[in-house]
Amino acid sequence: MERKPLLSVTLAIVLLVAALVFSTGCSKSESSAKNNHKTLYLYNWTYYTPESVIEKFEQEYDVKVVIDYFASNEDMFAKLKAGGSGYDIVFPSQDYTAIMMSEKMLLPIDKSKIPNLQYISPLVLQKATYDPDMAWSVPYYMGAAGIAVNKKKVAQYERNWSIFADKRLEGRMSMLDDMREVLGDALVHLGYSVNSTNAQELAQAKKLINEQWKPNLVKFDAEAFAKSFASGEFWVVQGYAESVFEELDSSRWKDVDFFLPPEGGPMYLDSMVIPKGAKNIDLAHQFIDFIHRPEIYAEFLDRFHFPASVHTEAAKYTTTKPFYNVEDLNNYELKNDLGADLEKYNDIWQSIRYVN
Amino acid sequence: MNNLQQEKRGRRLGITYSAPMGIWLTLFFLIPLSIIILYSFLKKGLYGGVEWEFTLTAYKQMLNPNFMRVFWRTLWVATFATVITILLALPCGYAMARSRHQVFWLGMVIIPFWTNSLIRIYAWIAILSSEGFVNETLRTLGIIKESLPLIYNQGAVITVLIYMYIPFAILPLFTTIDKFDFQLLEAARDLGASKPESIVKVLMPNIRGGIVTAVIFTFIPIFGAYTVPLLVGGKDSYMIGNIIVDQVTKTRNWPLASAFSLIITLVSTLGVIWMMATAANESARRKTPVKVVDSSGGSE
């Protein structure tokens, strides 16, 4: 029985190493947080905050910016609702902006402190029916999920949603694991609104997905589809341009056709809001104003190859070609909050997702 | 010091020793569990959360055939994966117990835990995908032309689950087999048993406790699996764990998520009760009946 001490020594070493790793990790973040007196706390989507812009803001205002990330509106909302506070700016999409307004979770925007609001496109505000005067939210970016095709593997294909009905691509395609996106695409493809709550229209959309699209899909994937697309596993994916291209070396971008189907689809408008409990309200206003400086906003667009969908001046300063154009969004429709009617979508989505 | 005093002192000490564990369990198990039970009987709030109104809606929703299908699938996947895991882990545990390099083998079992489980799942994607390691190798060797569909199906889910949980089966099996007196096997063979017979009739009954522990350590986490079906599963690989996450994050139905969590807790509890019952049986077989009465007191 001489083995047992050896075993505990091994275990002790493992624990010690683990402890060391953790402690160094902690001390690092602590020391860097002490450097500045004021800190702005942002809560934004992953892949959505341009580092260079943040650095410029930190330098100009002599502050520190701390960013936390969320992967879905629901995650963000659940965290704030469960009492997560201390954020100065949060970036929800239109439906959740509306929900947060009606749940009285936001502080009003003082427009006099944000002169750059003059650059916000009036067309966007027209679509933001829940807050057309920017009393509670300032648009950050408006876009839509599209389809990415690996041109090396697929030569001929239709550039619209019916690509998912193409039998030749069976087992090589994925759609987002997101009921509003997938059902919205099907609804639009059938000529209805992405916000339809009509039972017959929804039943048709369900039939289209279950009978025509789903048999050809490998899976519904919102987590790893971009990686699988980059590895050549998936040839056609529905998803966000920034996720798709972020996984690919720019030398391979020419092999990818990213397009927004012309018949339209669901669209999102992410806004900057100041939640109740924010500590640096003035600084938050300054940040919103800073982001919408035309040359700064252009830097944000360049970083992610976005089109200038919410900003009227920034396009003059951008240096890169966006992955899609503002005009491509013409037929796209904002996903509204459906309130209690969400249940109808849930039922249909369950029959799509849970049943073989 | 008389017996009575000693007994009193022992009891006081017992409370002191069990207090940290008791507080821990109350704070991080009993209270959260009570909240989950409570929420499962409340009405769902429109934007997540709950409204304070008693209802059985969540349990009625749970009987929806779509959910039942996922439940049976989860049960089937968990049972199948557990059986394979145990069958693989038994010879491993046996070989380790008989080896002269136990520390080395233990290290080999434990080392995978140094890498984050998500990274290990992504590694499996790299191994199993159409352009992955296995398919590329087979293509290079000229064995196949078209890639085999190794990933995004039930087979991939089960394979990766077995890989993830096999150390949890090997370790308890190893410890029990290590304690086993191997001379008994020799005795059995002296008395005329064949090698397989001696294993089945002498070794197996003696390591039953280890097998039960291994079953529970694999079955329970697999029953609640979430990331593996999400990442290597296909369009029809959803398990109960995935439903729970969906209900909280997407459909904002916290009561239904709570009801499903309770199912998992219930299955785990039944497993642990089974484990305790086997342990009690075993001590009953080995020891005098008087001792069995003693052991029932220390269940918490």
Side-chain angles (χ1 to χ4, degrees), chain A residues 194-213:
Chain A
V194 303
N195 296 310
S196 168
T197 52
N198 177 312
Q200 257 192 325
E201 293 175 8
L202 284 168
Q204 283 181 45
K206 168 181 159 180
K207 197 164 171 244
L208 173 68
I209 296 166
N210 268 338
E211 290 176 10
Q212 311 241 352
W213 293 358

PDB file of all heavy atoms in Angstrom, chain A residues 194-213:
ATOM      1  N   VAL A 194     -43.314  38.443 -41.478  1.00  0.00           N
ATOM      2  CA  VAL A 194     -42.517  37.691 -40.503  1.00  0.00           C
ATOM      3  C   VAL A 194     -43.149  37.735 -39.116  1.00  0.00           C
ATOM      4  O   VAL A 194     -42.750  37.003 -38.230  1.00  0.00           O
ATOM      5  CB  VAL A 194     -41.059  38.201 -40.378  1.00  0.00           C
ATOM      6  CG1 VAL A 194     -40.355  38.159 -41.705  1.00  0.00           C
ATOM      7  CG2 VAL A 194     -41.006  39.588 -39.788  1.00  0.00           C
ATOM      8  N   ASN A 195     -44.140  38.648 -38.950  1.00  0.00           N
ATOM      9  CA  ASN A 195     -44.794  38.760 -37.651  1.00  0.00           C
ATOM     10  C   ASN A 195     -46.186  38.153 -37.662  1.00  0.00           C
ATOM     11  O   ASN A 195     -46.985  38.399 -36.759  1.00  0.00           O
ATOM     12  CB  ASN A 195     -44.871  40.218 -37.229  1.00  0.00           C
ATOM     13  CG  ASN A 195     -43.490  40.816 -37.029  1.00  0.00           C
ATOM     14  OD1 ASN A 195     -42.662  40.242 -36.334  1.00  0.00           O
ATOM     15  ND2 ASN A 195     -43.223  41.942 -37.659  1.00  0.00           N
ATOM     16  N   SER A 196     -46.472  37.355 -38.662  1.00  0.00           N
ATOM     17  CA  SER A 196     -47.815  36.787 -38.798  1.00  0.00           C
ATOM     18  C   SER A 196     -48.204  35.995 -37.561  1.00  0.00           C
ATOM     19  O   SER A 196     -47.408  35.246 -37.003  1.00  0.00           O
ATOM     20  CB  SER A 196     -47.860  35.869 -40.021  1.00  0.00           C
ATOM     21  OG  SER A 196     -49.063  35.122 -39.998  1.00  0.00           O
ATOM     22  N   THR A 197     -49.469  36.162 -37.132  1.00  0.00           N
ATOM     23  CA  THR A 197     -49.971  35.318 -36.051  1.00  0.00           C
ATOM     24  C   THR A 197     -51.196  34.548 -36.554  1.00  0.00           C
ATOM     25  O   THR A 197     -51.907  33.934 -35.773  1.00  0.00           O
ATOM     26  CB  THR A 197     -50.366  36.161 -34.827  1.00  0.00           C
ATOM     27  OG1 THR A 197     -51.245  37.204 -35.251  1.00  0.00           O
ATOM     28  CG2 THR A 197     -49.157  36.771 -34.178  1.00  0.00           C
ATOM     29  N   ASN A 198     -51.405  34.604 -37.870  1.00  0.00           N
ATOM     30  CA  ASN A 198     -52.524  33.898 -38.490  1.00  0.00           C
ATOM     31  C   ASN A 198     -52.245  32.395 -38.493  1.00  0.00           C
ATOM     32  O   ASN A 198     -51.241  31.934 -39.040  1.00  0.00           O
ATOM     33  CB  ASN A 198     -52.664  34.439 -39.912  1.00  0.00           C
ATOM     34  CG  ASN A 198     -53.742  33.739 -40.698  1.00  0.00           C
ATOM     35  OD1 ASN A 198     -53.806  32.507 -40.719  1.00  0.00           O
ATOM     36  ND2 ASN A 198     -54.589  34.522 -41.344  1.00  0.00           N
ATOM     37  N   ALA A 199     -53.151  31.622 -37.893  1.00  0.00           N
ATOM     38  CA  ALA A 199     -52.904  30.188 -37.699  1.00  0.00           C
ATOM     39  C   ALA A 199     -52.690  29.457 -39.017  1.00  0.00           C
ATOM     40  O   ALA A 199     -51.833  28.574 -39.118  1.00  0.00           O
ATOM     41  CB  ALA A 199     -54.060  29.564 -36.934  1.00  0.00           C
ATOM     42  N   GLN A 200     -53.472  29.831 -40.044  1.00  0.00           N
ATOM     43  CA  GLN A 200     -53.340  29.153 -41.340  1.00  0.00           C
ATOM     44  C   GLN A 200     -51.986  29.431 -41.975  1.00  0.00           C
ATOM     45  O   GLN A 200     -51.334  28.533 -42.503  1.00  0.00           O
ATOM     46  CB  GLN A 200     -54.436  29.652 -42.262  1.00  0.00           C
ATOM     47  CG  GLN A 200     -55.569  28.653 -42.407  1.00  0.00           C
ATOM     48  CD  GLN A 200     -56.481  29.052 -43.544  1.00  0.00           C
ATOM     49  OE1 GLN A 200     -56.700  30.242 -43.782  1.00  0.00           O
ATOM     50  NE2 GLN A 200     -56.999  28.066 -44.242  1.00  0.00           N
ATOM     51  N   GLU A 201     -51.561  30.689 -41.915  1.00  0.00           N
ATOM     52  CA  GLU A 201     -50.271  31.050 -42.507  1.00  0.00           C
ATOM     53  C   GLU A 201     -49.138  30.321 -41.786  1.00  0.00           C
ATOM     54  O   GLU A 201     -48.217  29.807 -42.408  1.00  0.00           O
ATOM     55  CB  GLU A 201     -50.065  32.573 -42.423  1.00  0.00           C
ATOM     56  CG  GLU A 201     -51.041  33.336 -43.293  1.00  0.00           C
ATOM     57  CD  GLU A 201     -50.939  34.850 -43.120  1.00  0.00           C
ATOM     58  OE1 GLU A 201     -50.011  35.328 -42.427  1.00  0.00           O
ATOM     59  OE2 GLU A 201     -51.789  35.554 -43.688  1.00  0.00           O
ATOM     60  N   LEU A 202     -49.252  30.258 -40.459  1.00  0.00           N
ATOM     61  CA  LEU A 202     -48.215  29.579 -39.684  1.00  0.00           C
ATOM     62  C   LEU A 202     -48.185  28.085 -39.995  1.00  0.00           C
ATOM     63  O   LEU A 202     -47.118  27.478 -40.081  1.00  0.00           O
ATOM     64  CB  LEU A 202     -48.446  29.814 -38.189  1.00  0.00           C
ATOM     65  CG  LEU A 202     -48.039  31.206 -37.700  1.00  0.00           C
ATOM     66  CD1 LEU A 202     -48.566  31.477 -36.307  1.00  0.00           C
ATOM     67  CD2 LEU A 202     -46.520  31.339 -37.708  1.00  0.00           C
ATOM     68  N   ALA A 203     -49.394  27.510 -40.198  1.00  0.00           N
ATOM     69  CA  ALA A 203     -49.451  26.083 -40.514  1.00  0.00           C
ATOM     70  C   ALA A 203     -48.770  25.810 -41.861  1.00  0.00           C
ATOM     71  O   ALA A 203     -48.071  24.801 -42.026  1.00  0.00           O
ATOM     72  CB  ALA A 203     -50.904  25.619 -40.543  1.00  0.00           C
ATOM     73  N   GLN A 204     -48.973  26.721 -42.822  1.00  0.00           N
ATOM     74  CA  GLN A 204     -48.306  26.550 -44.118  1.00  0.00           C
ATOM     75  C   GLN A 204     -46.794  26.640 -43.976  1.00  0.00           C
ATOM     76  O   GLN A 204     -46.049  25.886 -44.607  1.00  0.00           O
ATOM     77  CB  GLN A 204     -48.776  27.630 -45.101  1.00  0.00           C
ATOM     78  CG  GLN A 204     -50.154  27.389 -45.684  1.00  0.00           C
ATOM     79  CD  GLN A 204     -50.511  28.506 -46.654  1.00  0.00           C
ATOM     80  OE1 GLN A 204     -49.699  28.906 -47.490  1.00  0.00           O
ATOM     81  NE2 GLN A 204     -51.711  29.028 -46.520  1.00  0.00           N
ATOM     82  N   ALA A 205     -46.358  27.583 -43.140  1.00  0.00           N
ATOM     83  CA  ALA A 205     -44.909  27.749 -42.929  1.00  0.00           C
ATOM     84  C   ALA A 205     -44.325  26.485 -42.301  1.00  0.00           C
ATOM     85  O   ALA A 205     -43.271  25.992 -42.707  1.00  0.00           O
ATOM     86  CB  ALA A 205     -44.648  28.960 -42.041  1.00  0.00           C
ATOM     87  N   LYS A 206     -45.046  25.926 -41.347  1.00  0.00           N
ATOM     88  CA  LYS A 206     -44.599  24.699 -40.679  1.00  0.00           C
ATOM     89  C   LYS A 206     -44.477  23.564 -41.691  1.00  0.00           C
ATOM     90  O   LYS A 206     -43.502  22.817 -41.702  1.00  0.00           O
ATOM     91  CB  LYS A 206     -45.623  24.345 -39.596  1.00  0.00           C
ATOM     92  CG  LYS A 206     -45.455  22.963 -39.004  1.00  0.00           C
ATOM     93  CD  LYS A 206     -46.531  22.712 -37.963  1.00  0.00           C
ATOM     94  CE  LYS A 206     -46.732  21.229 -37.710  1.00  0.00           C
ATOM     95  NZ  LYS A 206     -47.773  20.966 -36.715  1.00  0.00           N
ATOM     96  N   LYS A 207     -45.477  23.467 -42.588  1.00  0.00           N
ATOM     97  CA  LYS A 207     -45.482  22.412 -43.593  1.00  0.00           C
ATOM     98  C   LYS A 207     -44.267  22.578 -44.519  1.00  0.00           C
ATOM     99  O   LYS A 207     -43.566  21.608 -44.818  1.00  0.00           O
ATOM    100  CB  LYS A 207     -46.791  22.501 -44.386  1.00  0.00           C
ATOM    101  CG  LYS A 207     -47.097  21.251 -45.151  1.00  0.00           C
ATOM    102  CD  LYS A 207     -48.563  21.233 -45.596  1.00  0.00           C
ATOM    103  CE  LYS A 207     -48.745  20.063 -46.537  1.00  0.00           C
ATOM    104  NZ  LYS A 207     -49.104  20.391 -47.895  1.00  0.00           N
ATOM    105  N   LEU A 208     -44.033  23.821 -44.942  1.00  0.00           N
ATOM    106  CA  LEU A 208     -42.903  24.086 -45.842  1.00  0.00           C
ATOM    107  C   LEU A 208     -41.595  23.647 -45.191  1.00  0.00           C
ATOM    108  O   LEU A 208     -40.766  22.966 -45.816  1.00  0.00           O
ATOM    109  CB  LEU A 208     -42.854  25.586 -46.173  1.00  0.00           C
ATOM    110  CG  LEU A 208     -41.640  26.053 -46.978  1.00  0.00           C
ATOM    111  CD1 LEU A 208     -41.689  25.494 -48.390  1.00  0.00           C
ATOM    112  CD2 LEU A 208     -41.561  27.576 -47.025  1.00  0.00           C
ATOM    113  N   ILE A 209     -41.419  24.008 -43.925  1.00  0.00           N
ATOM    114  CA  ILE A 209     -40.155  23.677 -43.246  1.00  0.00           C
ATOM    115  C   ILE A 209     -40.033  22.168 -43.052  1.00  0.00           C
ATOM    116  O   ILE A 209     -39.007  21.568 -43.382  1.00  0.00           O
ATOM    117  CB  ILE A 209     -40.062  24.401 -41.886  1.00  0.00           C
ATOM    118  CG1 ILE A 209     -40.032  25.911 -42.097  1.00  0.00           C
ATOM    119  CG2 ILE A 209     -38.823  23.959 -41.118  1.00  0.00           C
ATOM    120  CD1 ILE A 209     -40.273  26.718 -40.850  1.00  0.00           C
ATOM    121  N   ASN A 210     -41.098  21.560 -42.518  1.00  0.00           N
ATOM    122  CA  ASN A 210     -41.018  20.130 -42.201  1.00  0.00           C
ATOM    123  C   ASN A 210     -40.905  19.250 -43.437  1.00  0.00           C
ATOM    124  O   ASN A 210     -40.220  18.238 -43.412  1.00  0.00           O
ATOM    125  CB  ASN A 210     -42.235  19.706 -41.383  1.00  0.00           C
ATOM    126  CG  ASN A 210     -41.979  19.805 -39.891  1.00  0.00           C
ATOM    127  OD1 ASN A 210     -40.823  19.792 -39.473  1.00  0.00           O
ATOM    128  ND2 ASN A 210     -43.020  19.919 -39.102  1.00  0.00           N
ATOM    129  N   GLU A 211     -41.566  19.644 -44.528  1.00  0.00           N
ATOM    130  CA  GLU A 211     -41.585  18.749 -45.689  1.00  0.00           C
ATOM    131  C   GLU A 211     -40.518  19.082 -46.719  1.00  0.00           C
ATOM    132  O   GLU A 211     -40.024  18.196 -47.406  1.00  0.00           O
ATOM    133  CB  GLU A 211     -42.976  18.772 -46.330  1.00  0.00           C
ATOM    134  CG  GLU A 211     -43.998  18.087 -45.434  1.00  0.00           C
ATOM    135  CD  GLU A 211     -45.412  18.172 -45.981  1.00  0.00           C
ATOM    136  OE1 GLU A 211     -45.575  18.604 -47.143  1.00  0.00           O
ATOM    137  OE2 GLU A 211     -46.340  17.825 -45.227  1.00  0.00           O
ATOM    138  N   GLN A 212     -40.181  20.367 -46.861  1.00  0.00           N
ATOM    139  CA  GLN A 212     -39.249  20.729 -47.925  1.00  0.00           C
ATOM    140  C   GLN A 212     -37.838  21.046 -47.423  1.00  0.00           C
ATOM    141  O   GLN A 212     -36.874  20.690 -48.068  1.00  0.00           O
ATOM    142  CB  GLN A 212     -39.776  21.962 -48.678  1.00  0.00           C
ATOM    143  CG  GLN A 212     -41.207  21.818 -49.079  1.00  0.00           C
ATOM    144  CD  GLN A 212     -41.364  21.871 -50.580  1.00  0.00           C
ATOM    145  OE1 GLN A 212     -40.434  22.157 -51.316  1.00  0.00           O
ATOM    146  NE2 GLN A 212     -42.568  21.601 -51.039  1.00  0.00           N
ATOM    147  N   TRP A 213     -37.756  21.750 -46.308  1.00  0.00           N
ATOM    148  CA  TRP A 213     -36.441  22.238 -45.874  1.00  0.00           C
ATOM    149  C   TRP A 213     -35.748  21.265 -44.920  1.00  0.00           C
ATOM    150  O   TRP A 213     -34.608  20.887 -45.121  1.00  0.00           O
ATOM    151  CB  TRP A 213     -36.566  23.611 -45.204  1.00  0.00           C
ATOM    152  CG  TRP A 213     -36.987  24.703 -46.140  1.00  0.00           C
ATOM    153  CD1 TRP A 213     -37.222  24.574 -47.486  1.00  0.00           C
ATOM    154  CD2 TRP A 213     -37.216  26.076 -45.811  1.00  0.00           C
ATOM    155  NE1 TRP A 213     -37.598  25.786 -48.009  1.00  0.00           N
ATOM    156  CE2 TRP A 213     -37.599  26.739 -47.009  1.00  0.00           C
ATOM    157  CE3 TRP A 213     -37.142  26.818 -44.639  1.00  0.00           C
ATOM    158  CZ2 TRP A 213     -37.894  28.095 -47.047  1.00  0.00           C
ATOM    159  CZ3 TRP A 213     -37.433  28.175 -44.679  1.00  0.00           C
ATOM    160  CH2 TRP A 213     -37.805  28.803 -45.886  1.00  0.00           C
TER     161      TRP A 213
END
